[in-house]
């Protein structure tokens, strides 16, 4: 299952690059906020259908979940809208590289402190070196 997870993550990353390029163009045509709205509307319709036919959870219990766990929707809007705005200015490659670096920095901090229910994994010199290498790559592809 571990290797399947790696492949799925790689496919998700590839899909995000396509999404960034497509929505960067759509944003030029219909507007950035309108593009984000379209994304979430289309996604809600698709997820609603999947939920109706395949859902096994308890959506009715959403208000019983810890309130901080509901922030994911807001963060999704920030993420997508930032990409829609950034891609036309700096390109897909730089936008995605910057997104990945931002994800790595925050992931390292979250794991270092064990925030949000994650397992504590300390930041070490190898992680810092990897992060600096990614920043160098961002500078070099610019």
């Amino acid at each position: 299952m571990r290797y399947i997870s790696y492949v799925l993550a790689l496919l998700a990353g590839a899909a995000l690059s396509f999404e960034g390029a497509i929505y960067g163009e759509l944003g030029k045509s219909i507007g950035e906020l309108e593009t984000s709205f379209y994304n979430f509307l289309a996604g809600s319709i698709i997820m609603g259908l999947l939920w109706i036919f395949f859902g096994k959870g308890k959506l009715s219990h959403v208000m019983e979940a810890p309130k901080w766990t509901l922030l994911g929707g807001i963060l999704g809007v920030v993420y997508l809208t930032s990409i829609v705005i950034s891609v036309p200015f700096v390109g897909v490659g730089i936008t995605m590289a910057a997104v990945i670096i931002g994800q790595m920095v925050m992931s390292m901090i979250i794991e270092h402190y064990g925030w949000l229910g994650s397992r504590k994994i300390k930041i070490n010199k190898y992680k810092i070196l990897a992060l600096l290498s990614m920043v160098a790559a961002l500078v070099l592809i610019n």
Side-chain angles (χ1 to χ4, degrees), residues 2-142:
R2 178 182 217 160
Y3 296 110
I4 292 171
S5 296
Y6 292 155
V7 170
L8 288 174
L10 288 170
L11 291 174
L16 286 176
S17 292
F18 273 111
E19 181 183 42
I22 290 167
Y23 283 154
E25 282 301 306
L26 185 60
K28 288 190 236 176
S29 299
I30 68 170
E32 290 97 2
L33 295 179
E34 293 78 4
T35 297
S36 289
F37 178 77
Y38 167 77
N39 171 283
F40 288 105
L41 177 64
S44 293
I45 291 168
I46 293 166
M47 286 308 303
L49 291 171
L50 290 171
W51 170 61
I52 288 168
F53 292 107
F54 303 108
K56 294 184 171 116
K58 296 178 181 138
L59 187 60
S60 61
H61 294 175
V62 72
M63 295 313 291
E64 295 172 17
K67 301 304 178 235
W68 64 268
T69 62
L70 303 178
L71 290 173
I74 295 168
L75 296 174
V77 170
V78 170
Y79 166 76
L80 180 70
T81 305
S82 298
I83 287 175
V84 171
I85 292 168
S86 298
V87 166
F89 291 103
V90 296
V92 177
I94 292 173
T95 298
M96 291 302 153
V99 165
I100 293 168
I101 291 169
Q103 288 174 331
M104 289 302 301
V105 168
M106 191 50 62
S107 296
M108 288 168 52
I109 292 169
I110 289 169
E111 288 181 341
H112 182 78
Y113 292 106
W115 291 345
L116 308 174
S118 71
R119 185 171 62 134
K120 276 191 176 186
I121 303 172
K122 295 293 181 190
I123 295 174
N124 59 41
K125 62 182 176 184
Y126 301 109
K127 289 183 177 188
I128 298 294
L129 182 60
L131 188 60
L132 291 174
S133 298
M134 292 173 73
V135 171
L138 178 62
V139 170
L140 291 173
I141 65 170
N142 190 2

